[in-house]
Amino acid sequence: MNIRVKRAALAGLRHGLLEYRAVTETGAGDHYDVAILGGGLAGGCLARQLRQEAPALRVLIVEKRPHPVPEAAFKVGESSVEIGAHYFQKRLGLEPHLRSRQLEKLGLRYFFPHGDNRDLTQRVELGPPNFPPVPSFQLDRGRLENFLLRTNAELGATVLDGCRVRSITLDPAAAHRVSLAGPGGSRDVMARWVVDASGRAGLLKRQLGLVRPSTHGANAAWWRFRSRIKIDEWSDDPAWNARVPSGLRWLSTVHLMGVGYWFWLIPLGSGSHSFGIVADADLHPFARINRFERALDWLREFEPQAAAVMEAHASELEDFLALQRFAHGCARVFSADRWALVGEAGVFTDPFYSPGSDFIAMGNDYVTDLIVRDARGEDVAARAEAFNATYLRLFDAFIRLYDGQYPIMGNAQVMTAKVSWDNACYWAITALLFFQRRLRRPEFIASIEPLMRRFFVLHARMQQFLKAWDRADAGSSYARASTNVIDVEFLRRLQATLGDPIVEDEVLRRRLAENYALLEAFARTWQAIAAERHPALPRFVAAAGPGEQGLLDIGPLQLTPAGVTVG
């Protein structure tokens, strides 16, 4: 975008915001149905969803940053997976923007450590050669959030940017009061609902004493370069390049893996590239990565091939940020007293599987349901309790994917098992419930409670098993191999059928039960594979009983240790 176009876009955006501000200057406009405190990804998406599902609602968005914000060098959280991508693409109708202004993602890709990590071709690679049937996207957050704020104003929301929240006074018996300070001075607004979308500031969470720390102790540092860096060009090895004949590996969310850490590479639609180190605090202290030069030193030690590329582009550095102990919980996120927390204002797990936009999608879906029903005069107290319990239960299940699991990340075989298992659970249960629009149906969720209890227990046991397998497999080495989760037939089917039409309740219950049976068989299969090399490994999942499915054929996911020949 050239300077003239940028100025025109800025002028148009400012004109739109000032026009909507003018509505509120009369005083009558200071009363809203919903005040959303934060105009980032969570708040912007919620406002758009509310305008779509209940256009008569008066919606206010309060955003502390003046807009438009810079592209690329703005916020982390650029990668989406199936739930979040479906929410953006289909529920919010953002597909034209995603296709024209963002990048479609070539899946998640992992390179596990081997030797001194100076040659990607020698490392085990886990990732698809082609785009998956159900798409996901790499998101330039600045670009997307500018688009959301502008179009929300066009859709009729009142937008106040460059505006800070001074205080929130909750009044369940009447309207809530929010005091603001902005370029035009101070003002108070009244709102029936207040939704905190302020990100890590967590305005309501701190005010109400809802902060809950997480036991997951990982840190992150990230930066952007103003150029596109294609990992496909890191080697001219013909066999390695032939694995992804399109030459589009760089469109994946690439993870360079090691014991206690991973390093991401994510391309952005604006032409910049995002990089980040995420590491277990006990194995890789924060002080080693919390400055750009320190992060480079760390890369020289653990990822020297990547370090050389970073050094070559250091003059193009656009930003650098670091965050200590980023995971956090919350005691409550939805209340019948007409307030809610969405996005990082509530909970955050870990960026490894890119679940941030998933939690935005699920949380916004719940909040929209509550607000729209309340506006129709319904009593939403029971729904708020049910939604709060389900959302925090899912958070607990997701945090188990990461808590205490970072030491596993250097083991190619165990991590291949983990990635395949975690994806299977996601596609078979969680994503399926979202795509089939059942998370907003508490009576349906109650009807599958016995299955969900078994699922969460199995999920927790498998995470324990993976840690035990990694300990037993210490010292094993795997090299120069390539595999793909959706090369396994049932995994490919689980992902591909997410986009199927909505089905009747009983049909979906049967499908969930069948998927759970597959998960049990998958768990037994990995346990059997581990026991072949480590017979003393404890049994975490029961053997198949009468009428149950035995073991599955997952051939491409079983790796051969370097120097060992499988008979």
Side-chain angles (χ1 to χ4, degrees):
M1 184 182 289
N2 63 35
I3 293 175
R4 181 176 299 175
V5 175
K6 282 185 178 179
R7 286 175 178 166
L10 176 59
L13 180 59
R14 288 295 179 197
H15 176 76
L17 298 190
L18 290 172
E19 179 183 346
Y20 283 104
R21 283 190 182 127
V23 175
T24 70
E25 296 301 328
T26 63
D30 284 340
H31 293 261
Y32 297 91
D33 297 297
V34 187
I36 300 173
L37 310 183
L41 189 58
C45 287
L46 176 61
R48 185 179 179 92
Q49 189 172 1
L50 287 169
R51 296 304 300 162
Q52 289 175 338
E53 295 196 26
L57 291 178
R58 295 161 298 173
V59 177
L60 170 68
I61 306 168
V62 180
E63 167 57 30
K64 69 178 180 180
R65 293 175 181 264
H67 274 62
V69 296
E71 293 185 344
F74 177 50
K75 289 184 180 177
V76 74
E78 298 106 341
S79 179
S80 67
V81 286
E82 285 86 353
I83 290 176
H86 179 74
Y87 175 68
F88 299 142
Q89 186 183 12
K90 302 299 184 183
R91 302 278 182 92
L92 300 186
L94 292 172
E95 184 159 11
H97 172 81
L98 294 171
R99 295 293 184 187
S100 64
R101 304 288 288 159
Q102 307 289 349
L103 298 173
E104 186 171 356
K105 185 168 94 174
L106 190 64
L108 299 168
R109 188 171 306 279
Y110 309 87
F111 290 94
F112 298 103
H114 179 71
D116 59 7
N117 287 342
R118 294 183 184 275
D119 184 358
L120 277 181
T121 69
Q122 299 303 308
R123 301 170 74 160
V124 173
E125 178 179 5
L126 175 62
N130 303 304
F131 290 96
V134 177
S136 56
F137 299 89
Q138 310 288 22
L139 303 175
D140 186 311
R141 286 283 297 274
R143 175 172 286 187
L144 178 55
E145 292 179 19
N146 286 335
F147 176 82
L148 286 169
L149 205 67
R150 174 174 58 79
T151 54
N152 280 329
E154 293 169 353
L155 289 169
T158 301
V159 178
L160 299 177
D161 70 329
C163 194
R164 180 173 56 85
V165 176
R166 297 175 60 195
S167 66
I168 306 166
T169 303
L170 298 177
D171 186 351
H176 307 310
R177 179 184 298 274
V178 183
S179 296
L180 307 173
S186 299
R187 63 189 293 181
D188 287 354
V189 298
M190 309 298 291
R192 179 164 178 80
W193 278 84
V194 169
V195 180
D196 185 359
S198 64
R200 289 183 173 271
L203 300 174
L204 272 181
K205 182 163 68 173
R206 298 181 192 283
Q207 179 174 319
L208 299 176
L210 302 173
V211 177
R212 295 295 182 271
S214 172
T215 55
H216 176 40
N219 306 318
W222 64 92
W223 58 94
R224 264 66 62 111
F225 289 153
R226 56 178 177 273
S227 63
R228 184 149 289 158
I229 295 173
K230 298 184 177 181
I231 198 166
D232 306 78
E233 298 172 354
W234 289 18
S235 175
D236 57 6
D237 181 279
W240 185 77
N241 285 311
R243 291 181 192 166
V244 185
S246 65
L248 296 178
R249 271 187 181 91
W250 62 274
L251 280 172
S252 303
T253 297
V254 175
H255 305 65
L256 304 185
M257 308 289 291
V259 177
Y261 76 85
W262 56 284
F263 176 63
W264 84 65
L265 301 89
I266 300 174
L268 304 178
S270 56
S272 294
H273 219 103
S274 172
F275 307 92
I277 299 166
V278 187
D280 183 297
D282 293 331
L283 299 175
H284 303 274
F286 186 58
R288 291 221 48 198
I289 62 172
N290 64 350
R291 298 287 187 273
F292 180 61
E293 283 302 327
R294 294 176 183 176
L296 278 184
D297 283 339
W298 183 93
L299 284 173
R300 291 181 189 110
E301 179 176 350
F302 295 99
E303 293 289 345
Q305 188 175 18
V309 176
M310 298 301 103
E311 289 165 351
H313 291 270
S315 62
E316 300 170 352
L317 184 68
E318 292 184 292
D319 68 344
F320 180 90
L321 293 166
L323 190 59
Q324 194 167 15
R325 296 190 70 90
F326 49 70
H328 61 269
C330 190
R332 171 176 290 277
V333 289
F334 312 128
S335 171
D337 289 337
R338 306 187 315 281
W339 57 261
L341 316 177
V342 294
E344 288 191 59
V347 300
F348 185 77
T349 56
D350 187 288
F352 184 68
Y353 290 125
S354 306
S357 56
D358 286 5
F359 275 88
I360 287 173
M362 294 185 290
N364 282 2
D365 228 20
Y366 284 140
V367 173
T368 298
D369 182 275
L370 294 172
I371 291 173
V372 171
R373 288 176 181 274
D374 175 68
R376 293 201 299 249
E378 293 185 30
D379 182 350
V380 298
R383 297 182 78 84
E385 289 303 310
F387 291 167
N388 188 74
T390 301
Y391 187 83
L392 293 181
R393 193 180 191 186
L394 288 170
F395 166 75
D396 181 65
F398 271 69
I399 204 72
R400 290 174 185 270
L401 302 177
Y402 319 106
D403 195 5
Q405 301 291 69
Y406 267 54
I408 296 174
M409 291 185 171
N411 187 311
Q413 176 61 91
V414 178
M415 275 304 298
T416 295
K418 178 173 170 56
V419 169
S420 63
W421 169 259
D422 294 343
N423 275 279
C425 291
Y426 176 75
W427 296 330
I429 306 293
T430 313
L432 180 59
L433 287 170
F434 184 83
F435 275 67
Q436 289 287 318
R437 305 192 75 128
R438 292 313 201 280
L439 290 179
R440 281 173 66 160
R441 294 261 312 278
E443 69 283 0
F444 181 86
I445 297 301
S447 77
I448 60 169
E449 174 61 21
L451 180 143
M452 294 301 288
R453 280 201 303 268
R454 295 198 303 274
F455 168 64
F456 286 125
V457 169
L458 176 63
H459 169 74
R461 286 178 177 169
M462 275 299 289
Q463 301 305 322
Q464 296 171 7
F465 159 71
L466 291 164
K467 285 194 282 190
W469 186 5
D470 177 61
R471 289 192 295 269
D473 204 50
S476 296
S477 175
Y478 304 87
R480 202 173 174 81
S482 176
T483 188
N484 176 18
V485 168
I486 57 177
D487 281 344
V488 178
E489 189 278 331
F490 90 92
L491 293 173
R492 179 172 59 254
R493 176 166 44 81
L494 287 177
Q495 204 268 354
T497 56
L498 286 175
D500 285 357
I502 304 294
V503 299
E504 297 295 325
D505 284 358
E506 191 52 43
V507 174
L508 181 58
R509 275 190 280 267
R510 285 200 303 271
R511 186 169 164 186
L512 288 164
E514 290 165 1
N515 286 354
Y516 177 76
L518 276 172
L519 292 177
E520 283 192 322
F522 197 31
R524 287 192 288 269
T525 301
W526 278 125
Q527 186 169 269
I529 288 171
E532 287 179 6
R533 295 197 63 228
H534 309 289
L537 193 64
R539 183 178 292 275
F540 288 82
V541 184
E548 291 184 315
Q549 185 165 359
L551 304 183
L552 302 173
D553 178 10
I554 59 169
L557 300 181
Q558 185 173 358
L559 303 177
T560 301
V564 175
T565 300
V566 176

